[in-house]
């Protein structure tokens, strides 16, 4: 294949990996990574890198499976057995509702700060969801694909710029960091919260397989495995770099300030931006505010779209496989996610950190199940032998499953014994 044809094929493939980056760079980065840097300096960077490495196979398998079979992971789960897809659907409904609520609450708080709109947090969250819904209804996948490419690019540039400015203003001053609190239940809960959404919950791995199908319809190009994995690696590496960047921002700007972060979404957003502004200068206020808002808005957009597609596809495979699928089911699922998300926001009105922690801990506790499902899918007999994971990926997969399971059991043991 000529070089120009390779470039054209890659450009026609790029999209799902970048959408994944937009989904991943959200609560795990802005909230959890920043808190990790604020509370422990640069100490937890190693844990974040380890989590990214051990979760890598299970996200990669999504692109691998979709590129090689032309099917989504949802279809793959159904072929393993209806009970497998039913188990996935059960977890996805619970995690999806909570995650939509969590990311929307943070985005609504940032929207209130940016617009100086003093209102009920549930109202600002509803406004954010209304805009997101409009984008999904009018633009559908092609519009989301284009807008996310721009948003992730802008977000990446401004985040790295902010780190460089913070490094110049603060410099690195290594200080002893106490990690004793991490052995307590609250400390383990924080670690699970940090790792649960790093770079994203593993159930999110289904989304790229659905987006790969949509991208193929949009461009008419059937990607090769190499092209699809290149798209994935661009998105995954971007999420890793920016995760470390947000830890660095928290460490450079917040560590040692003694600031206690509020549970109110609006107050938390203001604290976050004001601390950056104090270090970098008042001129940087809108740059930091833009980074924060783009981070969470992109996540809200892709989260609602991703869970809506996932649950809709699951319903299709479970109940409408051999008969006509009513398109209204998709919009019923969208309505379910939006309304239930707003209801949860109303319940957790003053508990932004609590809500995010619940969502991320739940994501971590369910991660071993989703990880095993993905590994089984690309290791099954019906999957082409030449495309199955090699020895290295098999070992890495089992290490990841044991890692996720071990931490989950430690947390449950601590919780039951406390």
């Amino acid at each position: 294949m000529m070089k120009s044809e390779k470039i054209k094929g890659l450009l026609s493939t790029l999209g799902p990996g970048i959408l994944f980056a937009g989904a991943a760079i959200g609560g795990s980065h802005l909230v959890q990574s920043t808190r990790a840097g604020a509370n422990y300096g640069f100490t937890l960077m190693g844990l974040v890198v380890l989590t990214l490495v051990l979760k890598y196979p299970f996200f990669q398998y999504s692109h691998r499976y979709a590129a090689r079979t032309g099917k989504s992971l949802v279809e793959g789960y159904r072929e393993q057995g209806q009970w497998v897809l039913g188990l996935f659907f059960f977890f996805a409904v619970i995690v999806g509702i909570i995650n939509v609520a969590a990311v929307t609450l943070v985005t609504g708080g940032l929207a209130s700060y940016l617009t100086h709109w003093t209102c009920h947090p549930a109202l600002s969250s509803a406004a954010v969801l209304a805009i997101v819904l409009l984008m999904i209804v009018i633009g559908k996948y092609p519009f989301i694909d284009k807008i996310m490419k721009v948003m992730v690019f802008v977000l990446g540039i401004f985040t790295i710029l902010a780190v460089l400015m913070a490094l110049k203003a603060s410099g690195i001053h290594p200080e002893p960091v106490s990690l004793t609190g991490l052995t307590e239940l609250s400390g383990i809960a924080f670690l699970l919260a940090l790792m649960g959404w790093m770079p994203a919950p593993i159930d999110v791995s289904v989304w790229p397989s659905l987006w790969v199908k949509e991208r193929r319809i949009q461009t008419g190009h059937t990607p090769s495995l190499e092209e699809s994995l290149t798209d994935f690696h661009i998105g995954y590496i971007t999420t890793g770099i920016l995760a470390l960047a947000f830890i660095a921002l928290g460490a450079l700007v917040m560590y040692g300030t003694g600031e206690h972060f509020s549970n109110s979404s609006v107050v938390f957003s203001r604290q976050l931006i004001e601390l950056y502004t104090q270090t970098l200068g008042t001129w940087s206020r809108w740059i930091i505010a833009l980074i924060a808002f783009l981070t969470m808005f992109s996540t809200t957009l892709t989260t609602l779209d991703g869970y809506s597609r996932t649950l809709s596809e699951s319903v299709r495979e479970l109940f409408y496989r051999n008969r006509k699928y009513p398109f209204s089911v998709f919009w019923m699922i969208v309505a379910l996610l939006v309304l239930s998300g707003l209801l949860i926001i109303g319940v957790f009105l003053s508990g932004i950190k609590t809500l995010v922690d619940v969502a991320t801990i739940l994501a971590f506790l369910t991660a071993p199940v989703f990880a095993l499902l993905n590994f089984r899918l690309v290791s099954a007999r019906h999957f082409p032998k030449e495309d199955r994971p090699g020895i290295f990926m098999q070992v890495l997969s089992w290490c990841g499953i044991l890692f996720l399971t071990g931490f989950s059991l430690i947390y449950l043991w601590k919780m039951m014994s406390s």
Side-chain angles (χ1 to χ4, degrees):
M1 185 182 292
M2 296 178 60
K3 187 175 181 180
S4 60
E5 292 179 348
K6 285 186 176 181
I7 295 174
K8 183 179 179 181
L10 181 59
L11 291 177
S12 297
T13 303
L14 290 179
I18 295 172
L19 283 176
F20 168 76
I25 304 168
S28 63
H29 291 58
L30 183 68
V31 180
Q32 302 297 6
S33 293
T34 303
R35 285 170 61 189
N39 294 334
Y40 302 101
F42 295 93
T43 308
L44 296 182
M45 273 192 171
L47 179 64
V48 168
V49 172
L50 179 64
T51 303
L52 288 166
V53 171
L54 293 177
K55 280 188 173 183
Y56 164 82
F58 313 114
F59 290 107
Q60 193 243 56
Y61 293 155
S62 174
H63 285 254
R64 180 184 293 269
Y65 186 82
R68 190 63 183 85
T69 66
K71 300 177 181 179
S72 69
L73 290 187
V74 171
E75 294 172 276
Y77 296 157
R78 177 64 178 81
E79 290 176 0
Q80 290 190 66
Q82 189 162 348
W83 71 270
V84 175
L85 181 55
L87 179 66
F88 167 78
F89 181 71
F90 172 76
F91 281 127
V93 169
I94 297 173
V95 175
I97 289 173
I98 295 178
N99 284 350
V100 168
V103 298
T104 303
L105 180 58
V106 182
T107 310
L110 289 165
S112 294
Y113 177 87
L114 280 169
T115 59
H116 300 288
W117 183 25
T118 304
C119 66
H120 198 284
L123 185 58
S124 63
S125 298
V128 168
L129 283 175
I131 296 172
V132 168
L133 271 173
L134 190 63
M135 295 172 72
I136 292 175
V137 171
I138 296 178
K140 298 184 173 61
Y141 176 83
F143 177 76
I144 296 174
D145 177 74
K146 291 176 183 177
I147 195 69
M148 286 306 303
K149 287 175 180 175
V150 174
M151 291 177 71
V152 170
F153 177 77
V154 172
L155 173 61
I157 294 297
F158 277 98
T159 303
I160 298 301
L161 178 62
V163 172
L164 294 176
M165 291 189 300
L167 188 59
K168 182 179 179 181
S170 304
I172 299 179
H173 306 289
E175 297 180 22
V177 178
S178 174
L179 301 179
T180 54
L182 292 178
T183 60
E184 303 299 326
L185 180 62
S186 59
I188 295 175
F190 172 73
L191 292 180
L192 261 64
L194 175 63
M195 294 184 291
W197 271 1
M198 183 55 61
I202 291 183
D203 65 286
V204 168
S205 62
V206 172
W207 304 356
S209 67
L210 293 166
W211 288 328
V212 166
K213 291 180 63 176
E214 286 292 334
R215 182 65 174 168
R216 187 184 296 120
I217 295 171
Q218 178 191 1
T219 63
H221 173 71
T222 301
S224 66
L225 181 59
E226 180 184 3
E227 290 169 342
S228 189
L229 291 183
T230 299
D231 172 54
F232 162 70
H233 287 135
I234 290 173
Y236 201 79
I237 291 171
T238 298
T239 65
I241 291 173
L242 293 187
L244 298 179
F246 276 99
I247 291 178
L249 282 173
L252 293 169
V253 176
M254 300 179 180
Y255 180 65
T257 61
E259 183 79 18
H260 296 285
F261 294 110
S262 171
N263 269 350
S264 164
S265 60
V266 177
V267 177
F268 174 83
S269 303
R270 185 171 67 245
Q271 287 176 314
L272 196 66
I273 296 168
E274 290 299 332
L275 279 171
Y276 285 147
T277 303
Q278 290 171 18
T279 301
L280 305 178
T282 55
W283 62 272
S284 67
R285 181 186 308 275
W286 294 108
I287 294 179
I288 299 300
L290 178 63
I291 291 173
F293 182 74
L294 282 178
T295 298
M296 294 311 305
F297 186 80
S298 65
T299 299
T300 304
L301 174 60
T302 49
T303 295
L304 185 58
D305 180 77
Y307 276 117
S308 297
R309 290 180 188 276
T310 298
L311 297 177
S312 176
E313 186 79 359
S314 297
V315 169
R316 183 201 301 270
E317 289 295 317
L318 284 170
F319 306 109
Y320 296 94
R321 201 176 192 197
N322 300 315
R323 52 199 178 104
K324 186 177 179 181
Y325 175 74
F327 187 68
S328 59
V329 171
F330 174 81
W331 296 112
M332 289 172 62
I333 290 172
V334 171
L336 168 69
L337 292 173
V338 169
L339 295 176
S340 58
L342 289 174
L343 178 62
I344 291 177
I345 288 172
V347 173
F348 282 87
L349 183 59
S350 61
I352 179 174
K353 289 196 293 186
T354 303
L355 180 56
V356 171
D357 283 348
V358 168
T360 50
I361 290 172
L362 183 59
F364 194 91
L365 293 177
T366 57
V369 177
F370 296 130
L372 188 58
L373 288 179
N374 288 5
F375 184 46
R376 283 187 60 193
L377 201 55
V378 295
S379 303
R381 290 182 179 180
H382 68 269
F383 195 72
K385 187 174 181 180
E386 64 274 14
D387 294 320
R388 294 175 196 167
I391 296 298
F392 175 77
M393 286 294 285
Q394 290 181 41
V395 172
L396 187 60
S397 297
W398 282 115
C399 288
I401 291 170
L402 291 173
F403 172 77
L404 296 169
T405 304
F407 253 104
S408 298
L409 291 176
I410 290 172
Y411 173 72
L412 292 174
W413 172 67
K414 280 281 188 180
M415 186 173 63
M416 292 174 64
S417 60
S418 62

